[in-house]
Amino acid sequence: MAEQRITIFAKEIEKALKADDVSFMSQSKNDNVAIGDKVIVAQETEIPDSAFSYGVTAGTGAATILESIDSTIEYLMDNAKVAPYLVKNFNETLKNYKQRPNLVAQMADGIRNMNAKTGMYNWGAQDAPHIIATSGATGGSAVPGVAGTRKKLAWKDFTDASQKMATDKIMDPTKQFWLIPSELESELLNMEDGFFIDYRKNGLVNQKSKYAPIGAILGRDVYMRPDCLLYEGTTRKVFGSAADETDCYSVMLWHKDMVRKYNGAVAGYSRVDPERYGSIFSADAKFGASKGREDFRGVVQIVQAIL
C-alpha cells in the first residue's frame, strides 16, 4: 500500500510538471528520447541549409560547407530535489485528500524552479562575442546587496543582440525568445513607445499561467521571471553563490533549436506515520540542459555595464 501511494504521488508530480509547458524552458530542443539517466550524448544542432555559408577550398576550386555538424554535445543529469513536506493532523487521511493537489503543485513548482536555474546557467552565453553590454543611461537596477552603478537597458542593446543572431546565421525570429529579469521590468516599460508590445494590456497574455510570455520585442516573445541568471562581469554566476561587487543582471536571447534539455524520471518518497509525527513526503526529478552547439551560436546575453 505504501509503495502504491509513493508511485501515485510521483506520477501526480510528473503530470504537474508536464502540464505547465508554457514556460521559457519549453522553448528548447527536447532530448527526452535519449537513452540513459546520467549523461546525454547528442549530435550538435544543425544550422538550416538555407543559412549555410560556402567557401572555396584553396587550390581546388571546390565549394565546401564551412559549418561542421560532426561534433557531439554531452551534458550531465542532476537531481532537482524538493525539501520534505510534513503532513501532521489528527485526521490525516482527510487532510491528505484535500491537501494533496496543493502539495503536488508546491513540489512541482520547486522542481520546476530548480530546473529553470539549471537551464539558464547552462544556456547562458559564455564567450565574449555573444555578450553585449547595456548602453543606456546611468542608474540601472542594481542586484540587492551590491554597490556600484549600472547602465540601463536601451533599444540599441536589443537590436545589437538581434543583429548578432543574424551574423551567426540564426534566422527565424518566431523561434527566438527573450528572457528578462522581473527586476528590470521598469526599465523595459520606460523605453521608447512601441518598442515593447505588452500582451498584458490587450488581453493576449495567458492569464492562467504565470509562466507564459508577457509581450514581444522585435517580433520575439518575451518571458519574464525573478531570479534570472546573473553575471560577474562577463562570467556566468552560479546560482546560490555569494554576492560580489561585479554582479549584474542579464537578458537572454535564444533560438529554441539551439538549446537542449532532458527531463528524466520523477521519484516520490514518503514515510507514513500518522499516529505520532505525521507523514513526510518528498520528490526529486532528473534534469539536464545544454547549449546545442560547441561554437555557442544561438544564444546572446545582454549584461549590465558597470560604471
Side-chain angles (χ1 to χ4, degrees):
M1 185 68 178
E3 291 182 0
Q4 185 180 21
R5 191 201 318 264
I6 294 172
T7 301
I8 294 173
F9 178 59
K11 289 295 184 182
E12 287 180 340
I13 293 179
E14 186 174 9
K15 183 179 179 180
L17 287 170
K18 291 180 179 178
D20 188 17
D21 198 24
V22 295
S23 74
F24 80 95
M25 290 296 295
S26 66
Q27 306 296 351
S28 58
K29 195 174 182 68
N30 198 325
D31 286 330
N32 285 4
V33 296
I35 299 174
D37 232 14
K38 293 184 178 180
V39 180
I40 298 301
V41 181
Q43 187 178 21
E44 188 178 55
T45 305
E46 182 180 356
I47 301 293
D49 290 342
S50 60
F52 275 150
S53 61
Y54 295 85
V56 177
T57 304
T60 67
T64 58
I65 296 176
L66 299 181
E67 313 294 347
S68 173
I69 58 169
D70 296 331
S71 300
T72 56
I73 298 295
E74 295 187 15
Y75 57 99
L76 299 175
M77 299 299 96
D78 198 3
N79 275 6
K81 301 178 182 179
V82 293
Y85 185 94
L86 175 65
V87 177
K88 187 177 181 181
N89 188 272
F90 177 74
N91 193 345
E92 190 186 24
T93 303
L94 179 61
K95 191 175 179 68
N96 259 341
Y97 178 78
K98 290 183 175 180
Q99 282 198 345
R100 195 169 67 195
N102 289 335
L103 174 60
V104 168
Q106 288 176 25
M107 290 193 167
D109 263 353
I111 291 172
R112 191 182 294 110
N113 188 50
M114 286 181 274
N115 291 349
K117 291 179 179 179
T118 298
M120 285 185 285
Y121 182 82
N122 289 339
W123 294 352
Q126 60 190 93
D127 63 326
H130 293 94
I131 296 177
I132 295 170
T134 54
S135 60
T138 59
S141 303
V143 176
V146 173
T149 305
R150 308 289 189 267
K151 284 190 176 182
K152 292 182 178 181
L153 289 169
W155 190 342
K156 179 179 182 298
D157 306 333
F158 291 90
T159 56
D160 284 352
S162 176
Q163 180 59 45
K164 179 58 183 172
M165 282 288 199
T167 302
D168 280 350
K169 305 179 181 65
I170 309 298
M171 307 301 183
D172 193 356
T174 64
K175 291 186 176 182
Q176 297 178 28
F177 304 89
W178 305 97
L179 178 61
I180 299 180
S182 55
E183 293 86 352
L184 300 184
E185 181 176 14
S186 62
E187 295 184 24
L188 179 67
L189 296 178
N190 286 323
M191 286 187 182
E192 295 88 341
D193 288 342
F195 175 71
F196 170 60
I197 300 173
D198 195 337
Y199 293 163
R200 297 168 296 186
K201 291 182 177 180
N202 52 28
L204 294 176
V205 70
N206 182 351
Q207 299 290 350
K208 295 182 180 180
S209 176
K210 61 183 178 182
Y211 302 104
I214 63 160
I217 295 175
L218 299 175
R220 300 158 172 89
D221 275 349
V222 174
Y223 290 85
M224 183 176 290
R225 57 166 285 139
D227 204 13
C228 285
L229 180 63
L230 300 180
Y231 275 71
E232 293 179 316
T234 56
T235 303
R236 294 173 303 168
K237 185 178 180 69
V238 176
F239 282 95
S241 54
D244 186 270
E245 291 301 311
T246 59
D247 287 356
C248 296
Y249 289 118
S250 72
V251 173
M252 184 168 69
L253 170 65
W254 76 100
H255 189 290
K256 65 181 299 182
D257 294 340
M258 298 296 149
V259 294
R260 319 177 78 105
K261 72 171 184 296
Y262 173 76
N263 293 291
V266 177
Y269 305 93
S270 72
R271 189 187 73 188
V272 180
D273 184 11
E275 295 180 358
R276 296 186 63 188
Y277 298 106
S279 296
I280 296 175
F281 293 89
S282 185
D284 68 39
K286 287 282 189 181
F287 182 79
S290 171
K291 296 179 183 66
R293 292 185 60 87
E294 289 189 332
D295 57 15
F296 303 143
R297 284 189 292 178
V299 180
V300 180
Q301 212 86 18
I302 300 172
V303 180
Q304 288 180 315
I306 302 175
L307 296 176

